[in-house]
Amino acid sequence: MKLLYSIHKYDVFMTIWLLNVKMHGSLAKFSRYVSRTGDGQLYLLIIGLLYWQQGLHSPLLQAILLGFLVERPIYFVLKNSLKRNRPAAALQNFRSVITPSDQFSFPSGHTSAAFMMATLIGYFFPVLMLPLYGWAAMIGFSRVVLGVHFPTDILVGVILGISTALFSLGYSI
C-alpha cells in the first residue's frame, strides 16, 4: 500500500507541476491537436489503405488487426477493473482542459494504441521508427497536459502498446 501511495503522490506532484508551468496554455492548445491524432480515425485510415493496397494478405494489416484484437480487451478490462479516477475526479479544484470519453484513467488507451501502431509500422518501415515513437510519446504527453491522465497511466499505456505489438508480430509473421 505504501508503494501505491508513493506512486500516487508522484503522479499528483508531476500533474500539478506540469499544469502550473507558464507555457501550459500554449502546450494545451498544441496538445489538443496531437491528442486528436490518437483518437482512432488515423488508425482506421491506415487499415483501410492497407486493405485497399494489399488486401488481407498484408502482414502489417494482419499484425495491426491482431494487435487491436488483443490490446483493446486488455485495456478495457484494466481500465474498468482498476477504476483509477482521472485527475479531475481525484484532485480538488482541478479541471481538465478537455472532457474525456470515459470515467477512468488507468491505463491510457490513446497511448497504448499509439505505441502499438508505432511499433508495428516501425517494424515494417524501420526508417520511420524514431519519428513514430516521437509521435506516440507526444500523444502520451498531451494526455497529461490536457489533464485527463496521470504520468503512470501513460507509462502503463506505453508498456501495453509495445507488448501487444510484439505479441502480434510474433503470431502474425
Side-chain angles (χ1 to χ4, degrees):
M1 262 327 181
K2 201 171 187 179
L3 176 64
L4 289 177
Y5 178 72
S6 295
I7 291 170
H8 179 70
K9 264 180 68 174
Y10 162 79
D11 267 349
V12 169
F13 171 79
M14 290 302 294
T15 301
I16 291 172
W17 176 84
L18 181 62
L19 297 176
N20 287 323
V21 171
K22 286 186 182 185
M23 60 187 276
H24 182 262
S26 301
L27 274 175
K29 194 173 195 177
F30 177 71
S31 292
R32 284 177 185 238
Y33 296 111
V34 172
S35 180
R36 284 186 189 140
T37 67
D39 285 351
Q41 295 89 338
L42 180 60
Y43 309 140
L44 290 175
L45 177 65
I46 291 168
I47 289 168
L49 286 172
L50 284 168
Y51 180 74
W52 180 61
Q53 289 288 319
Q54 301 173 9
L56 286 175
H57 300 293
S58 164
L60 176 54
L61 177 59
Q62 291 175 5
I64 290 171
L65 294 175
L66 178 58
F68 276 118
L69 281 172
V70 172
E71 184 267 346
R72 286 290 100 177
I74 293 172
Y75 152 80
F76 183 79
V77 167
L78 284 173
K79 185 165 276 209
N80 290 295
S81 61
L82 297 174
K83 297 182 178 184
R84 182 182 193 184
N85 284 327
R86 292 189 181 271
L91 306 174
Q92 284 186 326
N93 302 318
F94 180 89
R95 286 187 353 153
S96 299
V97 176
I98 61 171
T99 303
S101 60
D102 58 18
Q103 183 180 0
F104 303 116
S105 73
F106 187 86
S108 168
H110 277 74
T111 306
S112 66
F115 271 91
M116 185 188 77
M117 289 295 286
T119 303
L120 293 174
I121 295 170
Y123 177 83
F124 288 93
F125 303 97
V127 70
L128 297 177
M129 185 72 78
L130 280 177
L132 287 167
Y133 275 138
W135 162 78
M138 287 189 339
I139 286 181
F141 181 71
S142 75
R143 304 300 287 169
V144 177
V145 170
L146 294 172
V148 293
H149 284 288
F150 290 107
T152 53
D153 301 339
I154 305 308
L155 179 61
V156 173
V158 170
I159 294 166
L160 176 59
I162 292 173
S163 298
T164 55
L166 294 175
F167 173 84
S168 177
L169 287 169
Y171 276 90
S172 64
I173 13 182

